[in-house]
Amino acid sequence: MKGVILTIAPSASIVDVTHEIEKFNIKMGAFILASAAPYFPKGTVHLAVIDPGVGTERRGIVIETNQGYFVGPDNGLLMLAAETQKIIRIHQLTNPKLMLPKISGTFHGRDVFAPAAAYLQRGVKPEEFGLEIKDAVKPEFAQVQQSGNCIIGRVLMVDSFGNIITNISSEKLTKSAKTLLLVNINNHELKLTLKRAYGEVKPAEALALIGSHGFLEIALNQGNAAEKYQAKMDMKITVSQNSR
Amino acid sequence: MKGVILTIAPSASIVDVTHEIEKFNIKMGAFILASAAPYFPKGTVHLAVIDPGVGTERRGIVIETNQGYFVGPDNGLLMLAAETQKIIRIHQLTNPKLMLPKISGTFHGRDVFAPAAAYLQRGVKPEEFGLEIKDAVKPEFAQVQQSGNCIIGRVLMVDSFGNIITNISSEKLTKSAKTLLLVNINNHELKLTLKRAYGEVKPAEALALIGSHGFLEIALNQGNAAEKYQAKMDMKITVSQNSR
Amino acid sequence: MKGVILTIAPSASIVDVTHEIEKFNIKMGAFILASAAPYFPKGTVHLAVIDPGVGTERRGIVIETNQGYFVGPDNGLLMLAAETQKIIRIHQLTNPKLMLPKISGTFHGRDVFAPAAAYLQRGVKPEEFGLEIKDAVKPEFAQVQQSGNCIIGRVLMVDSFGNIITNISSEKLTKSAKTLLLVNINNHELKLTLKRAYGEVKPAEALALIGSHGFLEIALNQGNAAEKYQAKMDMKITVSQNSR
């Protein structure tokens, strides 16, 4: 893919964000992309490929926002990030003149998306790639439920440190160090207070914090929380907040 | 290695193709390099190091082709890719003026190959590195045997998705969706038809396809075929083609 | 982090040295950084983050040397590399104008260190980041003990090939192929001579050599020495040198 990009757009500056998304895990990819995209310069072309449907009828798309472009499969991967910006328009990638001459059935990253990203970097406009669409697939992320002081969310992902990242955003929580959080995950009952950093508790001790992504995170200082509590993606997590 | 390259050739644009070749697996490295090289711009210097013989008498070489350069050990790693292009000449890397001043016995990637790649990028010619040679080592890849409608090949590699990539190239196969392929691998008998994409079968179902590299591939849609069939590199695979 | 750097310093050339340091292993990170830094061009800004204390009182620092800059946490990670160069001055990173506007408690790499590295690349001077300090944390690496012909050191790290890298530097050893090294590691007694390359012994055979980093290394040719001898970081290793 990088060879294709540099062949079409020799001056492109290519940055690897990550190659460590779990296979086929669109949700995790969407989350990482949404976390990273806001920190890139205006005009950046973001290219992402997690593509269980490659070669089937799923569409390839380019999303233009007020901050830049997103290129990839129309399976929800791009939309979480794009929706944090202002979406201007979405076009399909169907113009064969803006693809490699020979398209394999299994590697659209190289044959379709990399050329599209490179042509966008060179100034080609979204409408030249294909028709505008209005029905791009949105990621179906587990919604947070709230009743009284109780919040029911889900594990969004476990990072490589074993930190449990939930889909409970910081706005749902009382950010007071005096508030006791009763957390239930996988039948483990934890009494935690919100910390600002892992190092505020002893090594191996559990804590709750708002992670760098803006979501509630359950972690062990220098330990693996997911392993300790056998937490996995999509698991239910309940949090009740009690002032002390 | 990147530090050395940028010290000698500050304007070089460095692209990582992969750091995930199995240790000492020259064959897998040769295959990945041959897959990626055609997609890079003309004039690219390809640097590859899988080097079980580092520090022994094996030679370092630069291969000039009509498309660019290949730099690395003379152990077969470079030749599969170079032979898909037109080889112009091959020179040894023996000129100490084009190496780092102090050569370690174990890290020629940094001390010999990285400087050579950087000097090539700056325009130094192959003959300045050392004598021309005509006997570069060629990779001994298992050859495909064919008798009647039966093809006997080998597993070239298993990729990180568990897809089984064989050395049976697409030219050997009848590309008709009506042709039934009887595949035997590790005593597993599979009846498959050629698909164009993983998503054309149900999740966990087996399929055959011509992979993005141009070789027959046995895969499970969203599953791990190598695990299911305990397939490993170099295993024999037989394919018979029957029209239905 | 790369997005932040390119936003502040669009012309920066970013090189990944490694993302494979063990979690929280400051010693291993310090060692890799000290191994790689000397090979980068003069003026390079080295950014390193292994940061168990993120969000606590540990300081962020920039070290200016006669060769370039080092940016990261003040926990010993940077000093091993910086001390191989000539340290000119060390300043704290406390100026909020040279950080991202919103600092998370857990990701100073993105919010503090990446902006600092980018501003240094643009020419901002160390004194603009904060006060000069004289008490930066030094890494407490196990010291080598020596009595007569016997050296007692430690395993500094095990690399991804299973090679056992010790903290015994080449100056401590008689570099003669005639000198017999009696090595004891984890109660395994090995009789070795110093080789210049892995390939000088048969596959799976043990050897001693001065690795590319300049330290004594115990390895198996094409095998995993750490696995065979159950060697782990920080283990004691004794070496006695006997002329034959």
Side-chain angles (χ1 to χ4, degrees):
Chain A
M1 288 174 63
K2 292 174 187 171
V4 170
I5 291 169
L6 291 174
T7 300
I8 296 170
S11 72
S13 167
I14 303 175
V15 164
D16 291 308
V17 170
T18 179
H19 295 279
E20 298 185 3
I21 306 296
E22 287 174 14
K23 311 278 180 236
F24 315 120
N25 191 338
I26 293 168
K27 188 169 168 177
M28 185 173 161
F31 176 71
I32 296 288
L33 181 61
S35 298
Y39 292 93
F40 277 83
K42 194 162 176 167
T44 294
V45 181
H46 300 278
L47 170 50
V49 191
I50 299 172
D51 203 6
V54 62
T56 63
E57 291 304 304
R58 75 99 189 86
R59 302 173 293 194
I61 54 173
V62 49
I63 305 174
E64 182 179 0
T65 74
N66 62 333
Q67 295 296 318
Y69 299 95
F70 294 86
V71 173
D74 178 29
N75 61 12
L77 176 62
L78 310 175
M79 284 296 275
L80 190 72
E83 284 182 334
T84 68
Q85 305 179 1
K86 193 177 155 358
I87 294 177
I88 294 170
R89 50 184 172 162
I90 306 178
H91 284 257
Q92 274 192 266
L93 304 175
T94 53
N95 182 351
K97 288 181 190 157
L98 300 172
M99 301 174 182
L100 290 200
K102 198 181 149 200
I103 309 300
S104 98
T106 56
F107 198 175
H108 287 191
R110 178 192 66 197
D111 301 339
V112 178
F113 303 139
Y119 284 117
L120 285 164
Q121 195 270 350
R122 275 178 45 179
V124 171
K125 294 294 166 204
E127 64 268 25
E128 302 185 46
F129 290 92
L131 293 177
E132 187 166 6
I133 63 170
K134 298 287 188 188
D135 60 343
V137 175
K138 296 194 181 194
E140 282 177 33
F141 279 63
Q143 294 297 310
V144 170
Q145 290 175 283
Q146 200 159 5
S147 75
N149 67 352
C150 184
I151 306 166
I152 305 177
R154 295 272 173 187
V155 175
L156 206 48
M157 64 173 276
V158 169
D159 73 15
S160 67
F161 291 84
N163 299 323
I164 302 166
I165 298 161
T166 75
N167 67 344
I168 300 169
S169 64
S170 63
E171 297 85 48
K172 304 256 190 273
L173 298 166
T174 314
K175 259 89 61 191
S176 159
K178 290 200 172 145
T179 301
L180 189 67
L181 300 179
L182 297 172
V183 174
N184 184 306
I185 179 157
N186 201 18
N187 292 321
H188 295 271
E189 291 279 357
L190 312 173
K191 289 185 187 176
L192 307 169
T193 52
L194 265 191
K195 303 294 182 190
R196 276 193 43 83
Y198 304 114
E200 287 181 23
V201 301
K202 282 175 240 161
E205 199 174 297
L207 71 150
L209 49 70
I210 305 301
S212 55
H213 312 291
F215 292 89
L216 177 68
E217 196 177 314
I218 309 299
L220 304 184
N221 182 21
Q222 298 185 41
N224 191 312
E227 214 169 272
K228 181 163 183 188
Y229 306 123
Q230 292 99 47
K232 288 193 164 40
M233 204 179 58
D234 277 333
M235 254 184 197
K236 207 163 78 174
I237 179 165
T238 63
V239 177
S240 55
Q241 308 181 70
N242 301 72
S243 306
R244 288 185 298 190
Chain B
M1 287 173 63
K2 293 175 187 171
V4 170
I5 292 169
L6 291 173
T7 300
I8 296 170
S11 72
S13 167
I14 302 175
V15 163
D16 291 309
V17 171
T18 178
H19 295 280
E20 298 185 4
I21 306 297
E22 287 173 15
K23 309 280 179 236
F24 315 120
N25 191 337
I26 293 169
K27 188 169 168 178
M28 185 173 162
F31 176 71
I32 296 287
L33 181 61
S35 299
Y39 293 93
F40 278 83
K42 193 161 177 168
T44 293
V45 181
H46 300 277
L47 170 50
V49 192
I50 298 172
D51 203 7
V54 62
T56 62
E57 290 304 305
R58 76 96 189 88
R59 302 174 292 194
I61 54 173
V62 50
I63 305 174
E64 181 179 0
T65 74
N66 62 333
Q67 296 296 319
Y69 299 94
F70 293 86
V71 173
D74 179 28
N75 60 12
L77 176 62
L78 310 176
M79 284 296 274
L80 190 72
E83 285 182 333
T84 68
Q85 305 178 2
K86 191 175 154 4
I87 294 178
I88 294 171
R89 49 184 172 162
I90 306 177
H91 282 258
Q92 274 192 267
L93 304 174
T94 52
N95 183 351
K97 288 181 189 157
L98 300 172
M99 301 175 183
L100 290 199
K102 199 182 148 201
I103 309 300
S104 98
T106 57
F107 197 176
H108 287 190
R110 179 193 65 197
D111 301 339
V112 178
F113 303 139
Y119 284 116
L120 285 164
Q121 196 270 350
R122 275 177 48 178
V124 171
K125 295 295 165 204
E127 65 267 25
E128 302 185 46
F129 290 92
L131 293 177
E132 188 166 6
I133 62 169
K134 299 287 187 188
D135 60 344
V137 175
K138 295 194 179 194
E140 283 177 32
F141 279 62
Q143 293 297 311
V144 171
Q145 292 174 281
Q146 200 158 4
S147 75
N149 67 352
C150 184
I151 305 165
I152 305 176
R154 296 273 171 186
V155 175
L156 207 49
M157 64 173 276
V158 168
D159 73 15
S160 67
F161 289 84
N163 300 323
I164 302 166
I165 298 161
T166 74
N167 67 344
I168 300 170
S169 65
S170 62
E171 297 85 48
K172 303 254 190 275
L173 298 166
T174 312
K175 258 90 59 194
S176 159
K178 290 201 173 142
T179 301
L180 189 67
L181 300 179
L182 298 173
V183 174
N184 184 306
I185 180 159
N186 202 17
N187 292 322
H188 294 271
E189 290 279 358
L190 310 174
K191 289 184 190 179
L192 305 170
T193 52
L194 265 191
K195 303 294 182 191
R196 276 192 45 83
Y198 305 113
E200 286 181 24
V201 300
K202 283 176 238 160
E205 198 174 298
L207 70 150
L209 47 71
I210 304 301
S212 55
H213 311 291
F215 292 90
L216 176 69
E217 195 176 314
I218 309 299
L220 303 184
N221 183 20
Q222 299 185 41
N224 191 313
E227 215 168 272
K228 183 164 181 188
Y229 307 122
Q230 292 98 49
K232 288 193 164 41
M233 205 179 60
D234 276 333
M235 255 184 196
K236 206 162 76 173
I237 180 165
T238 64
V239 178
S240 54
Q241 308 182 69
N242 300 73
S243 305
R244 288 187 297 191
Chain C
M1 288 172 62
K2 293 174 185 170
V4 169
I5 291 169
L6 291 174
T7 300
I8 296 170
S11 73
S13 167
I14 303 174
V15 163
D16 291 309
V17 171
T18 178
H19 295 279
E20 298 184 4
I21 307 296
E22 286 173 14
K23 311 278 180 235
F24 314 121
N25 191 339
I26 293 168
K27 188 169 167 177
M28 185 174 161
F31 176 71
I32 296 288
L33 182 60
S35 299
Y39 292 93
F40 278 84
K42 193 161 177 168
T44 294
V45 181
H46 300 277
L47 170 50
V49 192
I50 299 171
D51 203 6
V54 62
T56 63
E57 290 304 305
R58 76 96 190 89
R59 303 172 293 193
I61 54 173
V62 49
I63 305 174
E64 181 180 1
T65 74
N66 62 333
Q67 296 295 320
Y69 299 94
F70 294 86
V71 173
D74 178 28
N75 61 12
L77 176 61
L78 310 176
M79 284 297 273
L80 190 71
E83 285 182 334
T84 68
Q85 305 178 2
K86 192 176 155 2
I87 295 178
I88 294 169
R89 49 184 174 163
I90 305 177
H91 283 257
Q92 274 193 264
L93 303 174
T94 53
N95 182 352
K97 288 180 188 157
L98 300 173
M99 300 175 184
L100 289 200
K102 199 182 149 200
I103 308 300
S104 99
T106 56
F107 198 176
H108 287 190
R110 179 191 66 198
D111 302 339
V112 178
F113 303 139
Y119 284 117
L120 285 164
Q121 194 272 347
R122 276 177 47 178
V124 171
K125 294 294 164 204
E127 65 267 25
E128 301 185 45
F129 290 92
L131 293 178
E132 187 166 6
I133 63 170
K134 299 286 188 188
D135 60 344
V137 175
K138 297 195 180 192
E140 283 178 32
F141 279 62
Q143 295 296 312
V144 171
Q145 291 175 282
Q146 200 158 4
S147 76
N149 67 350
C150 183
I151 305 166
I152 304 176
R154 295 272 173 186
V155 175
L156 206 49
M157 64 172 277
V158 168
D159 73 15
S160 67
F161 290 83
N163 300 324
I164 302 167
I165 298 161
T166 74
N167 67 345
I168 300 169
S169 64
S170 63
E171 296 85 48
K172 303 254 190 274
L173 298 167
T174 312
K175 257 92 58 194
S176 159
K178 290 199 174 147
T179 301
L180 188 69
L181 300 178
L182 297 173
V183 174
N184 184 306
I185 180 158
N186 202 17
N187 293 320
H188 295 271
E189 290 280 357
L190 311 173
K191 288 185 189 178
L192 306 170
T193 51
L194 264 191
K195 303 293 181 189
R196 275 193 44 83
Y198 304 115
E200 286 180 25
V201 300
K202 283 177 239 160
E205 198 174 298
L207 70 151
L209 48 71
I210 303 302
S212 56
H213 312 292
F215 291 90
L216 176 68
E217 196 177 314
I218 309 298
L220 303 185
N221 182 21
Q222 298 185 42
N224 192 312
E227 216 168 271
K228 181 161 183 190
Y229 307 122
Q230 292 100 47
K232 288 194 165 41
M233 203 178 61
D234 276 333
M235 256 183 196
K236 207 163 78 174
I237 179 165
T238 63
V239 178
S240 54
Q241 308 181 70
N242 300 72
S243 304
R244 288 188 294 192

